[in-house]
Amino acid sequence: MNWQQLDSLSYQNRLRFLPPEHKLLFAGVLILLVLTGHEWLQMAICLWMGVWVMVYARIPVRFYFGFFILSLSFFVLGLPALLLEAVRADAGAVVQAVAAWKIGPYLVYVPASALDKVWVLFWRTMASLACFAFVLFTVPFAEILQVLRKLKLPVIVTDLLMIMYRFIFVLLGVSHQLWIAQRARGGHRGFRAMLRDASGLAAQLFVRSMRKYDALYKGMAARGFGESLQVLSLHTHFRSGRYEAESIAGCILLILLEWWTGG
């Protein structure tokens, strides 16, 4: 996924004209419903957010699903800790397992209750990612900072968020350059070589990132940096009665769905 192009999509989407505070409020309400609702509600939010992002905002499908695939990879990496449990095989304990393996003196098994927990966590994660994708693809980060400043968030926090966001792309660009350089020198061939090259890449990434940070600090000082970073937006926002009505009606329907399924 091209992260620089992903950032540019937030400035070029079809929902760019909507006020950012309305979009953030909409996503915040849906997040609350995701955290308090059942699986059917979370599935409905996933589908509805897909309509907003891919149909209304006209975000390409490959970027939307690429975001989900990359994010869910961390969920998959955490599955062994969620699914597997172990007891000593000679303990005589009776376990209700979907699958079990004897490894040395231990019995490693997947309890039936773990599948239910993973199912609930999966849809909660999917719905949360859908809400986050809506904000990521439709609200530029500079406008998010403006909304946070209107909410009287401390200036030091917004400045740190801006610098961290800037360095995300710096780190990605530098790490990609280092990875290409290592591959060009015959690196990343075999598992051991991959681990060794990854450690070298991390060390070089730290050194080059500190150089980038020093250059950024000197550049800000040369330009007379004051107490805070100023964020300006020259884009004019307009309210849309149609989108506002749909968002309010949709949230009411989701609440009714939660009440009906919960009852």
Side-chain angles (χ1 to χ4, degrees):
M1 179 184 293
N2 190 332
W3 291 98
Q4 285 77 9
Q5 189 173 359
L6 184 150
D7 183 64
S8 67
L9 288 174
S10 63
Y11 290 91
Q12 301 171 0
N13 68 91
R14 296 294 183 90
L15 299 179
R16 178 74 169 84
F17 67 93
L18 295 178
E21 52 270 18
H22 291 185
K23 289 182 282 189
L24 291 176
L25 177 62
F26 178 45
V29 171
L30 291 179
I31 283 290
L32 290 177
L33 293 176
V34 168
L35 296 178
T36 58
H38 294 80
E39 294 82 47
W40 291 109
L41 177 72
Q42 294 158 1
M43 294 177 191
I45 291 176
C46 283
L47 294 175
W48 195 29
M49 286 292 95
V51 173
W52 277 87
V53 174
M54 291 184 290
V55 179
Y56 297 161
R58 299 292 178 88
I59 299 298
V61 176
R62 67 180 186 277
F63 282 101
Y64 186 67
F65 285 100
F67 167 78
F68 272 93
I69 292 173
L70 181 62
S71 301
L72 287 175
S73 62
F74 296 96
F75 178 81
V76 173
L77 291 175
L79 282 180
L82 297 172
L83 289 174
L84 300 179
E85 295 186 15
V87 296
R88 292 190 65 87
D90 55 357
V94 179
V95 296
Q96 296 181 352
V98 178
W101 305 270
K102 186 175 182 181
I103 303 177
Y106 293 95
L107 179 67
V108 180
Y109 65 98
V110 179
S113 60
L115 295 179
D116 296 333
K117 294 178 181 178
V118 169
W119 173 258
V120 172
L121 183 60
F122 171 76
W123 283 111
R124 182 167 296 175
T125 302
M126 286 288 292
S128 300
L129 288 175
C131 297
F132 179 69
F134 172 76
V135 175
L136 180 68
F137 286 111
T138 62
V139 187
F141 192 74
E143 295 184 356
I144 296 178
L145 294 180
Q146 287 182 334
V147 175
L148 293 178
R149 289 184 176 179
K150 290 180 181 179
L151 296 176
K152 305 301 181 181
L153 197 71
V155 176
I156 184 64
V157 177
T158 57
D159 288 349
L160 287 175
L161 288 174
M162 181 182 297
I163 294 174
M164 290 171 59
Y165 185 75
R166 169 72 177 87
F167 267 87
I168 289 175
F169 299 98
V170 172
L171 291 175
L172 289 173
V174 172
S175 61
H176 183 64
Q177 294 173 3
L178 292 173
W179 182 80
I180 292 177
Q182 287 182 341
R183 290 295 301 270
R185 293 178 174 87
H188 296 275
R189 297 182 183 275
F191 182 73
R192 290 186 177 181
M194 185 179 298
L195 293 178
R196 183 182 64 253
D197 294 335
S199 63
L201 188 148
Q204 288 295 322
L205 181 62
F206 176 77
V207 174
R208 295 200 182 188
S209 299
M210 291 304 297
R211 292 175 182 172
K212 293 282 187 180
Y213 168 76
D214 184 63
L216 176 64
Y217 172 76
K218 291 179 180 178
M220 291 169 58
R223 291 170 174 82
F225 172 70
E227 296 181 354
S228 64
L229 299 171
Q230 300 299 321
V231 181
L232 300 177
S233 177
L234 301 178
H235 190 82
T236 303
H237 300 100
F238 303 96
R239 298 181 60 176
S240 172
R242 176 242 171 155
Y243 287 128
E244 290 182 6
E246 180 175 345
S247 60
I248 294 173
C251 289
I252 294 175
L253 287 176
L254 289 173
I255 294 173
L256 293 176
L257 175 64
E258 170 63 16
W259 174 78
W260 183 67
T261 55

